[in-house]
Amino acid sequence: MTRIAAVSGVLPAHRYRQRELAGAVAALRGGAGGERRALAERFFAGAGVEFRHLAFPWERYPEFDGFGRANDAWLVAAAELAERAARAALETAGMAAEQVDLVVSTTVTGVAAPSLEARIAARLGLRGDVRRLPLFGLGCAGGAAGTAAVHELLTGRPDGVALLLATEVCSLTFRRADDSPANLLAAALFGDGAGALLAVGDAHPAAGAAGPEVVATRARLYPGTERLLGWEVGDDGFGILLGAELPELVRLHVAEEVSSFLAGHDLKPGDVTAWVCHPGGPRVLDALGDELGLPEGALAPSRASLARCGNLSSASVLHILRDVLAQGPPPPGSFGLMLALGPGFASELALLRW
């Protein structure tokens, strides 16, 4: 088994109320009042978000008016967030950066070569022979998929230490000239932040720590849904694909996938103590809770994270897992389920046990 030694979540310093951002987005799109303001406020009010943290002060965003400028800003902000998240996880685990053997990094809000973890390796103090695996395109599923990748890598290196970084600066993907409802909904839902997870193989001396084990993982692609979620990339950057039918697909397919995965381990949804679910939005969480018959409060950590800082894409599940751990670990033998959805359309599951 892979043992999770520490989890961290960090946010940028610039914090805004949702209502503030609704007006700012309307103004940036050329409609500080009237119909555009009312439309923005309606989307922002229904997102289940109360606050967002942005990588830059809102007044600077008009500077980032093309893909190149936005990506340059992403490189600066993402590197700072990833470094902070990594340092926090290492400190929590009481480990030094040179002890890390493997780094998996995931993002979907910017492009970098050398990749993000390579850019911060020297600043962190990672060894020159550290094994790196950068991931792009997994979107909101990246945190759970990255956890699965760490688990599989450590299965082949049971004495190793692996670091997962999930870093997103979603605010830099907003396109002012895009009048689509999907672009406005994305502006209302997504925030900036990073998370890190530090894990060890079962032969490592720290494997007896109190963190949860990764028991098993599962990935699933759902055919015919490629246009449901993702990016359309143009000269002005990333254009969001965000299908309105996502909650219905959760009802039709994802809940069944979860039940099937748990059944393979002689478990039912009612046997899961900790639900670490990516907060894709209020309707997605409602659909998942309804179809799985989850008790009131089971998805409270996801809803609380959504309200506090928005949807952080790949980093959200790590923030939620950190919050679950901070509340005090469940009793020994308890199970948790990490669940995230992303482009493909795809689901990523990880079964955890304390």
Side-chain angles (χ1 to χ4, degrees):
M1 300 296 178
T2 298
R3 177 77 69 175
I4 296 174
V7 185
S8 70
V10 300
L11 298 166
H14 308 289
R15 184 173 183 256
Y16 295 87
R17 290 186 178 275
Q18 183 78 330
R19 185 174 178 82
E20 290 179 84
L21 289 177
V25 165
L28 193 61
R29 297 171 72 238
E35 183 178 337
R36 281 195 169 184
R37 173 65 181 254
L39 182 63
E41 288 184 348
R42 185 162 69 249
F43 272 96
F44 276 64
V49 178
E50 296 176 10
F51 296 94
R52 231 93 59 77
H53 291 249
L54 305 186
F56 300 94
W58 179 256
E59 293 75 19
R60 288 199 57 193
Y61 280 80
E63 300 174 24
F64 313 132
D65 58 353
F67 179 64
R69 289 179 180 175
N71 201 67
D72 286 346
W74 175 86
L75 285 170
V76 174
E80 187 267 337
L81 286 168
E83 183 180 354
R84 283 176 54 204
R87 289 189 185 281
L90 288 165
E91 182 178 352
T92 299
M95 290 187 183
E98 57 264 26
Q99 293 177 263
V100 175
D101 303 298
L102 315 157
V103 182
V104 176
S105 65
T106 182
T107 186
V108 77
T109 51
V111 180
S115 49
L116 198 56
E117 79 291 338
R119 290 169 182 260
I120 65 171
R123 282 152 48 176
L124 281 175
L126 295 173
R127 299 197 313 269
D129 66 345
V130 69
R131 180 72 65 185
R132 299 183 295 113
L133 181 62
L135 305 174
F136 180 87
L138 293 165
C140 297
T147 300
V150 161
H151 173 57
E152 292 181 8
L153 288 167
L154 287 175
T155 298
R157 189 166 183 168
D159 61 344
V161 177
L163 174 66
L164 167 64
L165 296 172
T167 312
E168 307 290 6
V169 189
C170 302
S171 62
L172 289 170
T173 66
F174 177 69
R175 302 202 297 184
R176 282 178 284 169
D178 184 352
D179 282 326
S180 68
N183 186 49
L184 192 54
L185 179 57
L189 186 62
F190 290 95
D192 300 346
L197 180 150
L198 198 67
V200 299
D202 58 12
H204 191 275
E213 298 172 326
V214 181
V215 177
T217 65
R218 179 187 286 187
R220 181 71 66 195
L221 278 169
Y222 301 96
T225 62
E226 294 85 358
R227 298 284 300 173
L228 178 65
L229 193 61
W231 294 130
E232 285 186 319
V233 183
D235 292 340
D236 53 351
F238 294 129
I240 190 74
L241 293 173
L242 194 60
E245 62 270 40
L246 182 58
E248 187 58 29
L249 282 173
V250 171
R251 293 184 185 277
L252 289 174
H253 299 298
V254 178
E256 180 181 349
E257 186 71 21
V258 169
S259 296
S260 170
F261 177 59
L262 291 175
H265 299 275
D266 295 323
L267 298 170
K268 297 179 180 179
D271 297 321
V272 175
T273 301
W275 290 88
V276 183
C277 296
H278 174 77
R283 293 177 60 210
V284 171
L285 291 174
D286 289 344
L288 189 65
D290 291 345
E291 291 302 309
L292 290 173
L294 300 184
E296 188 71 24
L299 298 178
S302 298
R303 297 187 192 278
S305 182
L306 182 64
R308 184 172 62 249
C309 56
N311 181 335
L312 302 179
S313 191
S314 67
S316 275
V317 289
L318 301 186
H319 278 243
I320 294 164
L321 180 57
R322 177 208 58 188
D323 294 345
V324 168
L325 295 175
Q327 293 171 2
S334 298
F335 287 93
L337 185 72
M338 182 184 287
L339 163 64
L341 311 174
F345 166 68
S347 61
E348 292 279 349
L349 308 174
L351 183 63
L352 309 177
R353 182 174 59 205
W354 275 264

